[in-house]
Amino acid sequence: MENSEKTELVLLACGSFNPITNMHLRLFELAKDYMNGTVIKGIISPVGDAYKKKGLISAHHRVFMAQLATKNSEWVEVDTWESLQKEWVETAKVLRHHQEKLEASSCGNEQGSPVLERPGRKRKWAEQRQDFSQKKSLEPKTKGVPKVKLLCGADLLESFGVPNLWKSEDITQIVRDYGLICITRAGNDAQKFIYESDVLWKYQNNIHLVNEWITNDISSTKIRQALRRGQSIRYLVPDLVQEYIEKHDLYTSESEERNVGVILAPLQRNMAEANS
Amino acid sequence: MSLGSCQSHGNDKGEQILPYKCCNGGMYQVIAGIISPVNDKYGKKDLVAARHRVAMARLALQTSDWIRVDPWESEQVQWLETVKVLRHHHRELLRSLPQKEGLDRGKAHPAAPTAVPELKLLCGADVLKTFQTPNLWKDAHIQEIVEKFGLVCVGRAGHDAERYILGLPILQKYQHNIHLAREPVQNEISATYIRRALSQGQSVKYLLPDAVIAYIKDHNLYTKDSSWKDNNT
């Protein structure tokens, strides 16, 4: 396939981002390098409060921190749609929402200037698209609509195996219709996991495993733990995020107790549907 | 105590600075951190000019209120043994103390029994291992470092600091003066990896401060063919 016909990609990362860390941001950079010039946009979609995960603080903080973190990024931005929904939204639906959004703006707009969340970024993305369409002025539909792919770490991939956490038809839809870009440090474990799952094996060409050579253990859980223990999180999260957390004293023993005793939304929903 | 860090600092990576605040055994209060980039004459492979390494460290520390870069070591005419750098900074520390007795009354903390700050060498566990390398360190220097100054050693994956200490009698003897800082979050950003990523045109965003990345780009450092060029300018 020639370079001129490569599909443009949009990377979507779903998760709690509780808080966002440098590791999350690195996922985007690693994936972009790996996909070799086809990635045009990155989207961070923090989960809604209705997810009911233990220790999950209010979405507006998590969204704001993600926005602070991506302030200096030219291509990664935060999308609030998922976090604004009243009920928890399955990841497959979030993927579908963003894919449909791309298709809608691609059809209705020859100039290729889709509605973006952040007006300040709008011009840059539109310029990029215009560059591409100028290059392809003789061939109107060469690139087509950009495709959304789910960006994740190996933990998400392996969470497919947790009973009732995912609907099997959702997993199929995700790997068949969208695709995964999975950043992992233990490539062998991820490969083994794919091998041992029929559906992942079937769509393995749509699952890209990207190696992270730096042992990077910056999980949000550890960040919250460090904060409770009065330890510094500087250089593990962007400076603006660290300042915001400190200013609002966001993560404490109390905040970690949120949703204790509450069933995680996907588990609740999938088990209820199984029993109905 | 003041923490001095003598490293080659091929480029300034975020996690190098992290462990300073981990050391809180309760007896000590860290008042300052010093990053001392090594002299060009050290001759390590891929070492870019000291002026760049110092500039990058400065940029990285722009927002720090307690860590600073000291270019003294890099400005010397020849390469200096680490112990000499420690001696220098210790002298400077003593010189900068108030001449009157007792501590500055403006400080919120009560006067400590010993008013003189201690200078400790901050390093990763990998450096601890190098004490074993024949001819790399003078025995007398190792002794002076652990006896007179002291070490704060941050863990590193694949390195067992406690085992290194047990492996060298001189370290064992002064192990009370070797503080092992537990890194709560493992973050193995090595400068070697950074240089390789840069030479391959890969992103190092969020591994280095943005200001340092911009500097590297502006000065064309660490590109595939720049390593020999820069050492000759």
Side-chain angles (χ1 to χ4, degrees):
Chain A
M1 203 200 299
E2 289 169 13
N3 239 359
S4 58
E5 285 166 26
K6 272 201 189 137
T7 314
E8 291 177 336
L9 297 181
V10 171
L11 303 177
L12 173 72
C14 296
S16 309
F17 298 103
N18 187 36
I20 190 166
T21 69
N22 284 338
M23 184 208 71
H24 292 127
L25 299 163
R26 276 305 290 164
L27 297 184
F28 283 94
E29 298 293 310
L30 288 163
K32 186 170 191 237
D33 281 342
Y34 180 85
M35 299 310 290
N36 237 341
T38 55
V39 173
I40 56 166
K41 186 154 86 136
I43 301 173
I44 292 175
S45 177
V47 79
D49 290 334
Y51 188 50
K52 298 290 180 194
K53 191 170 181 182
K54 179 175 176 291
L56 191 71
I57 68 167
S58 161
H60 83 268
H61 283 310
R62 292 182 288 113
V63 163
F64 194 72
M65 287 189 285
Q67 286 168 339
L68 289 173
T70 51
K71 214 168 133 173
N72 293 328
S73 175
E74 292 174 352
W75 64 286
V76 182
E77 58 183 55
V78 183
D79 189 281
T80 55
W81 178 82
E82 182 183 356
S83 65
L84 291 172
Q85 303 309 304
K86 237 183 64 187
E87 305 285 331
W88 169 70
V89 184
E90 286 94 342
T91 301
K93 289 206 176 73
V94 184
L95 280 161
R96 193 181 329 143
H97 164 82
H98 285 282
Q99 185 64 58
E100 285 173 357
K101 210 168 139 185
L102 285 170
E103 278 160 17
S105 55
S106 190
C107 287
N109 226 326
E110 256 158 33
Q111 296 309 320
S113 189
V115 176
L116 292 176
E117 296 293 328
R118 292 178 49 183
R121 182 102 22 84
K122 191 175 181 167
R123 219 171 294 117
K124 270 188 185 151
W125 207 66
E127 274 169 11
Q128 244 183 331
R129 283 194 64 84
Q130 282 191 328
D131 281 344
F132 283 129
S133 54
Q134 272 159 24
K135 281 179 196 156
K136 296 286 127 207
S137 55
L138 298 174
E139 301 155 64
K141 270 190 181 176
T142 334
K143 280 200 180 10
V145 180
K147 289 222 174 311
V148 178
K149 296 220 170 286
L150 186 62
L151 172 66
C152 63
D155 57 333
L156 189 143
L157 182 69
E158 288 173 22
S159 79
F160 284 162
V162 175
N164 290 317
L165 190 58
W166 299 82
K167 284 202 197 79
S168 56
E169 53 265 34
D170 277 6
I171 297 177
T172 305
Q173 205 181 64
I174 290 171
V175 293
R176 179 192 63 209
D177 302 339
Y178 301 101
L180 283 181
I181 300 180
C182 178
I183 315 294
T184 165
R185 119 184 48 131
N188 286 334
D189 287 351
Q191 272 173 337
K192 184 158 172 274
F193 189 78
I194 294 172
Y195 179 76
E196 286 172 357
S197 155
D198 286 344
V199 69
L200 297 183
W201 177 256
K202 185 173 178 188
Y203 298 106
Q204 61 181 291
N205 289 335
N206 231 2
I207 303 173
H208 305 267
L209 297 180
V210 182
N211 255 314
E212 180 203 30
W213 296 110
I214 291 177
T215 311
N216 189 327
D217 212 15
I218 310 178
S219 70
S220 300
T221 305
K222 295 214 164 152
I223 297 291
R224 296 197 305 273
Q225 182 183 76
L227 286 164
R228 289 196 302 276
R229 295 175 183 184
Q231 291 164 341
S232 168
I233 60 167
R234 256 201 108 188
Y235 312 114
L236 301 177
V237 303
D239 282 350
L240 289 173
V241 174
Q242 184 266 325
E243 284 161 21
Y244 184 86
I245 292 175
E246 200 175 309
K247 183 168 160 203
H248 296 271
D249 196 23
L250 290 181
Y251 293 108
T252 60
S253 333
E254 287 75 38
S255 70
E256 198 64 16
E257 290 302 296
R258 285 172 77 133
N259 294 319
V260 158
V262 179
I263 301 179
L264 201 68
L267 293 175
Q268 167 117 53
R269 188 174 299 172
N270 294 332
M271 294 193 304
E273 283 181 17
N275 291 333
S276 61
Chain B
M1 61 177 167
S2 238
L3 292 174
S5 169
C6 298
Q7 304 259 331
S8 49
H9 291 283
N11 46 351
D12 208 300
K13 45 210 191 305
E15 133 274 5
Q16 191 80 329
I17 302 168
L18 167 67
Y20 285 87
K21 292 215 163 158
C22 290
C23 188
N24 55 350
M27 310 183 322
Y28 289 108
Q29 186 209 338
V30 176
I31 59 169
I34 303 167
I35 288 186
S36 174
V38 79
N39 196 288
D40 284 334
K41 297 262 169 56
Y42 184 49
K44 194 170 180 184
K45 181 175 177 288
D46 298 333
L47 199 66
V48 308
R51 63 191 168 91
H52 289 313
R53 292 182 284 112
V54 167
M56 289 188 285
R58 276 216 174 99
L59 287 171
L61 294 171
Q62 257 169 9
T63 54
S64 176
D65 58 359
W66 67 286
I67 313 170
R68 71 170 208 277
V69 192
D70 196 300
W72 179 83
E73 179 181 358
S74 66
E75 287 167 355
Q76 300 312 300
V77 149
Q78 60 200 22
W79 170 73
L80 285 182
E81 286 97 334
T82 302
V83 75
K84 294 189 178 138
V85 182
L86 282 164
R87 287 178 199 153
H88 164 81
H89 285 290
H90 194 242
R91 275 194 304 266
E92 291 295 302
L93 203 55
L94 293 176
R95 270 225 296 258
S96 69
L97 288 176
Q99 297 305 318
K100 288 169 30 181
E101 60 172 1
L103 290 177
D104 183 1
R105 292 287 171 242
K107 281 210 176 100
H109 307 94
T114 39
V116 179
E118 290 176 30
L119 180 68
K120 302 221 172 283
L121 181 65
L122 173 67
C123 63
D126 54 325
V127 173
L128 208 57
K129 187 179 186 195
T130 69
F131 285 155
Q132 296 167 9
T133 307
N135 300 320
L136 190 59
W137 299 83
K138 288 201 182 83
D139 286 345
H141 287 182
I142 299 178
Q143 169 142 2
E144 191 179 331
I145 289 172
V146 293
E147 182 188 9
K148 189 159 174 256
F149 297 102
L151 284 179
V152 176
C153 181
V154 177
R156 213 174 160 178
H159 292 276
D160 187 344
E162 275 150 355
R163 194 162 55 89
Y164 300 152
I165 295 173
L166 292 175
L168 263 191
I170 186 70
L171 296 183
Q172 232 186 320
K173 184 172 177 193
Y174 293 102
Q175 59 181 298
H176 57 278
N177 224 6
I178 302 175
H179 306 267
L180 300 182
R182 277 222 158 71
E183 205 181 1
V185 172
Q186 202 172 58
N187 193 15
E188 298 276 315
I189 307 175
S190 79
T192 305
Y193 172 91
I194 298 284
R195 291 194 300 271
R196 198 177 323 132
L198 286 167
S199 75
Q200 291 172 2
Q202 289 163 351
S203 164
V204 293
K205 201 168 158 88
Y206 313 114
L207 298 175
L208 298 182
D210 282 347
V212 176
I213 298 177
Y215 184 96
I216 290 173
K217 199 164 161 221
D218 290 343
H219 293 84
N220 214 30
L221 303 177
Y222 306 117
T223 61
K224 212 174 279 201
D225 37 37
S226 74
S227 54
W228 69 266
K229 251 190 263 170
D230 200 66
N231 283 333
N232 290 307
T233 47

